[in-house]
Amino acid sequence: MTTTNEIPMIHQAYEESLKLLRENATAHGFAAAAASDKAKERNYTAIFGRDAMICALGALASGDSYLIEVGKKSIETLAEHISPKGQIPFSVHIEKKQVRYWLPQSVDGTVWWLVVYWLYAENLNNFTFKAQFHDQFKLAISWLEHRMSFGLLEQGEGADWADVVPRSGIVLYTNALWLLFLRLINSSEQVNVYTSFEYFLSRQKLTGDAFKKLIEFTPSYRKNIHKRIASESYFLTAVSRMSVEDSFDTYGNILACLSGLVPSRRMAAIIKELHAVSKLSPYPIRVLAAPQKIPHGIIEHEHQNKAWCYH
């Protein structure tokens, strides 16, 4: 329950968020950071795919007409530089005429673009805007489909926002975002994809007709998961042919719940776990449930991955 002392802080945070969006607004969309010598040195004045789309999502939620226009420009800038095969750029720097797609091909930026483009087109009820990028929309989906197994996205190391954390294979965060998109467009495949999502990323033993076909055809690494980890209500961070990452990814689990496809009982258990591991103090949430413990596989020498830092 929110106390009277917390309300002003919430309002202040909201106003500061809008201020930050205005500071990062450019003629080409939302830059990763407002122009400064340090931002220019690190190329953060570029339009980054995932960053710009998350900013555009906030702009749409704010209802601020100026910020919404900057959000539309972000969608447009990224769409105009889509790769021939359909990947939304990792970043676009108009002044430098520099377009980056990153290696091994950043995946989540493309999914974020699909989500935000769809939300803008639907919420603004703008047929012209929707039609303008219809071809890019189809092409982006096609690019992602070529990176799928059993309806789920597979990715290489460093191919999402946690770019120096070498998780790979079927990653919770990326696929939770994909589930959210399928739900948004009311895809006929959403239930089947969620079944695969449960099968590969659940920490629990699954039975029933829906899983029989998956049990028969999936690789042995999935069948061996339950011999290696404890049963919990939340989803695994990542599963590959060589490893299972069983740390509690708060971001990925929250996105999965927001997809609308996680059953209510499972969602309640995840929220309960979230409260238990986060303590909700001194900060609202932690990216990793136990940041003092470096999960197996993380590059420890990177400053972002030391205890209590960045990731």
Side-chain angles (χ1 to χ4, degrees):
M1 184 172 67
T2 303
T3 67
T4 54
N5 290 332
E6 289 174 324
I7 293 173
M9 185 180 292
I10 291 171
H11 290 319
Q12 182 183 355
Y14 178 74
E15 292 303 323
E16 288 294 325
S17 297
L18 295 182
K19 179 184 175 183
L20 186 62
L21 287 176
R22 293 188 184 103
E23 289 173 352
N24 289 15
T26 74
H28 308 293
F30 289 109
S36 68
D37 291 342
K38 189 173 182 179
K40 290 175 182 177
E41 179 185 345
R42 301 193 68 182
N43 210 43
Y44 284 170
T45 52
I47 311 300
F48 282 72
R50 72 175 70 95
D51 303 60
M53 291 300 90
I54 294 172
C55 287
L57 188 60
L60 183 62
S62 75
D64 184 295
S65 58
Y66 168 68
L67 292 178
I68 288 173
E69 284 303 311
V70 179
K72 288 171 66 177
K73 183 54 83 171
S74 302
I75 294 169
E76 180 180 334
T77 296
L78 293 168
E80 287 176 348
H81 294 87
I82 192 171
S83 76
K85 292 185 178 180
Q87 183 187 5
I88 292 296
F90 174 79
S91 66
V92 177
H93 200 301
I94 299 296
E95 289 76 13
K96 292 183 178 180
K97 297 181 180 179
Q98 182 185 79
V99 182
R100 292 178 173 175
Y101 296 96
W102 208 249
L103 292 173
Q105 299 185 319
S106 179
V107 174
D108 60 331
T110 299
V111 189
W112 272 116
W113 185 89
L114 289 170
V115 168
V116 177
Y117 158 74
W118 184 267
L119 285 171
Y120 265 68
E122 292 294 302
N123 283 273
L124 300 179
N125 198 25
N126 190 327
F127 179 80
T128 303
F129 180 79
K130 190 172 186 177
Q132 183 179 358
F133 303 112
H134 179 75
D135 290 346
Q136 289 94 329
F137 178 77
K138 292 294 186 183
L139 191 61
I141 291 176
S142 175
W143 184 78
L144 291 171
E145 286 175 342
H146 282 86
R147 280 146 189 81
M148 287 183 184
S149 293
F150 304 96
L152 298 177
L153 292 162
E154 286 197 88
Q155 64 189 64
E157 293 182 345
D160 62 40
W161 79 269
D163 46 24
V164 292
V165 178
R167 59 192 184 188
S168 61
I170 295 173
V171 174
L172 170 62
Y173 153 69
T174 312
N175 281 287
L177 190 58
W178 178 243
L179 281 180
L180 196 146
F181 171 67
L182 295 179
R183 183 69 167 172
L184 277 177
I185 66 173
N186 196 26
S187 168
S188 60
E189 287 298 308
Q190 59 185 300
V191 175
N192 290 334
V193 174
Y194 181 72
T195 300
S196 293
F197 182 88
E198 274 272 16
Y199 182 74
F200 279 91
L201 295 169
S202 175
R203 298 178 61 116
Q204 302 172 5
K205 292 183 178 180
L206 303 170
T207 58
D209 293 340
F211 300 105
K212 284 183 178 178
K213 187 174 181 180
L214 287 168
I215 291 169
E216 182 181 353
F217 290 105
T218 52
S220 59
Y221 68 85
R222 173 57 185 86
K223 299 169 189 176
N224 293 330
I225 283 176
H226 295 292
K227 298 176 183 178
R228 302 166 60 182
I229 62 170
S231 179
E232 298 285 356
S233 57
Y234 57 89
F235 295 108
L236 293 161
T237 293
V239 179
S240 74
R241 285 165 178 77
M242 299 300 292
S243 65
V244 175
E245 178 56 72
D246 63 347
S247 60
F248 183 40
D249 176 3
T250 56
Y251 191 14
N253 275 278
I254 288 170
L255 281 176
C257 291
L258 289 174
S259 73
L261 290 167
V262 179
S264 57
R265 182 178 294 182
R266 167 74 82 108
M267 189 159 61
I270 290 172
I271 292 170
K272 182 179 179 181
E273 181 70 21
L274 192 61
H275 279 269
V277 299
S278 295
K279 310 299 183 188
L280 302 184
S281 177
Y283 308 106
I285 207 82
R286 294 173 181 165
V287 177
L288 295 176
Q292 74 276 19
K293 297 178 182 178
I294 303 297
H296 173 70
I298 286 186
I299 303 172
E300 296 184 32
H301 72 269
E302 290 282 353
H303 70 278
Q304 295 101 322
N305 294 323
K306 295 186 183 300
W308 305 101
C309 292
Y310 196 49
H311 292 111

